[in-house]
Amino acid sequence: MKKYNNINAAQVSQQLNDKIDRELRNYRVKLGKVENVPPQTVRVVPLGGQNGIGEKNMIVVEYEDDALILDCGFDLGVDLPGVNYAIPVLDYLETIKHKIRAYVISHGHMDHIGALTHVVPKYPAPIYGSGFTIGMIDVHFSKVQEQGEVYQPELIVLDMDTHESVSIGVFTVELVRVTHSIPESSAIIIDTPLGRLINTGDFRLDPEPLDAMPSDVKRLAELGRQGVLLLMSESTNTTRVGRTPTEHTLQDSFDDLVGKTKGRLIIAMFSSNMNRIQMIINAANHYGRKVALDGRSMLTVAELAARLGKLKIPKGTLIPLSTVETLPDNEVLVICTGGQGEPGAALSRMAVGEHKAVTLTSSDTVVISSTPIPGNERSYAKIGDLLSAIGVKQYRHPTHEIDGSGPLHVSGHAARDEHAEMIALTNPDYVMPIYGGALNRAYHKDIALQSGVKASHILMVENGAVIEFGTDKKPGIIGRVSSGDRFVDQTGAVVPEIVTRDRLQLTETGFLIIVATIDRHAKLVSSLDIVTRGFIASKTNVQTMNGIRAEIRKILSAKKEVRSKTAIELLKRSIQMSVGSYLLHETGGLPIIIPVVNVIGVTRNHRKPADEVH
Ligand SMILES: [Zn+2]
């Protein structure tokens, strides 16, 4: 049998620790602390959003005894075992909790509202947003209320059509309509005693969106003429030249596809894009197809949109998903989630034959109305493979020209010319690229420079940076506060970093539990129990398992007495060490070793209950 003589346990542990450190580096909490904000000073602190796209967006604005929180999202892109999403580290909010007057939310995407259910119950204050945004927040809170959360948030709608503004502490806040990929998105305008701040939220300047609700460029220009101290502008598509095409150019593509498809039609897209769902419903209605919506998020958002008049569904068009198998193929259109190939989403379940209502066959047509979000490229390709293997006809946006359709997706974010236009419209003294990683923000800086903004007037800041404007209205970065990720699991509970480290180690090495019951003279009173998972199969490694037993017996026979807690701890430590080096030598692997030692006949004065000393 092969032996691993040259491996050293310390080295193996170090390599593993380094690997885990590398996996956690991007989420690591960076500590920092600053003094209270000085009088007559505007402080701006991004606590999330500066480290990538869709990354727990959150920015704090402070003046003396008042603070606002702009957006409060979570990050769904965390790929760690047992982690569902991440929220920003809240240490800084704890220090200013007495002055948090409001949460102002730009739009209803989860990377802008997701953390509200964690943050607002802890630091209560009213939440402001447009009607649809507030509807999305209400739905989000009712989901956690189903799981037992009792907190009822105070939700306040601001009317963008009338340019309604509200005084909150020293601030005056207004929302201005912008186009994005969810109804009623807004830019947030904050008038402070030192000048006006604008947070664009996510936007594009589509002049002809399907809902006839274009970005309110007139209002932005008006605000710009009155003077803007700081423009905080999103950075998602700062690498794209020109302008993002208008959404309604897709209507022709959907009309064409629905018209020419003979069998069933399944269209996968993001659940909150109501304009696109409207286009598909229009096309279905025109060609006499019934529409079924699949996916819980798709149904809840569509219900909300229909209630608020953002989605118009002709009578009799919508059918329950459970009835699609009873209709002729050419009358069925299913709109579902999962176009990114997300495991567990509707399209993935169809692709692997685990969907309750839809069994795909080669006579079906699937349309993927999206491009992969950065990070989803592999699952996006995988879903294409699975569908091809079934033999369905596919139309995917990236290959639409080859597939034989018009474009099937447009982005919800501004491209470079629109960013330049935003700067021209608002004419700010200072520009701060936000909501993007360092690369996209650097491209944004480049647009600002080309737009005539001086380099010294462009603020390039990471999460946790503290920017202050004094009475001279000049900004300075005066330090940093703690920032980083708090992991949250499937149940909504926060997962401590130490637990994530253990899980990462377990996924690498597996574990081995040794239960030894001995008397006070270190004699075994029953046979040794060894349980292992994710390391080696104990049934086919009898020799190794016997070797472990021999190692432990050797240690026990060298002991004369085990009475005190310290003696038990020392015994456990030596079991860990010798079994560890034995296994490394025998198998080349080093699992997590958990020794459990029960000592019979020791009085309670000498030891704590067994479960406390494990
Ligand atoms: Zn968004």
Side-chain angles (χ1 to χ4, degrees), residues 231-274:
L231 172 70
M232 296 174 265
S233 190
E234 68 116 326
S235 307
T236 302
N237 279 352
T238 49
T239 53
R240 294 201 190 168
V241 294
R243 304 181 77 91
T244 302
T246 178
E247 171 96 20
H248 85 238
T249 53
L250 305 185
Q251 182 74 67
D252 290 347
S253 310
F254 289 120
D255 285 344
D256 171 53
L257 275 181
V258 179
K260 74 183 178 191
T261 300
K262 300 276 179 287
R264 295 187 302 184
L265 191 54
I266 289 105
I267 303 180
M269 53 166 284
F270 297 116
S271 60
S272 56
N273 192 332
M274 289 305 119

Side-chain angles (χ1 to χ4, degrees), residues 77 80 143 214 216 229 236 269 298-299 352 354 378 413 426 430 450 478 493 498 509 511 552 571 608:
L80 291 170
K143 274 186 206 152
D216 196 344
L229 178 61
T236 302
M269 53 166 284
M298 179 131 328
L299 278 167
V352 296
E354 286 174 0
R378 283 177 74 169
H413 297 271
T426 54
Y430 295 90
Q450 285 169 14
I478 62 113
I498 180 82
T509 65
F511 68 83
I552 298 165
L571 175 59
K608 289 185 172 181

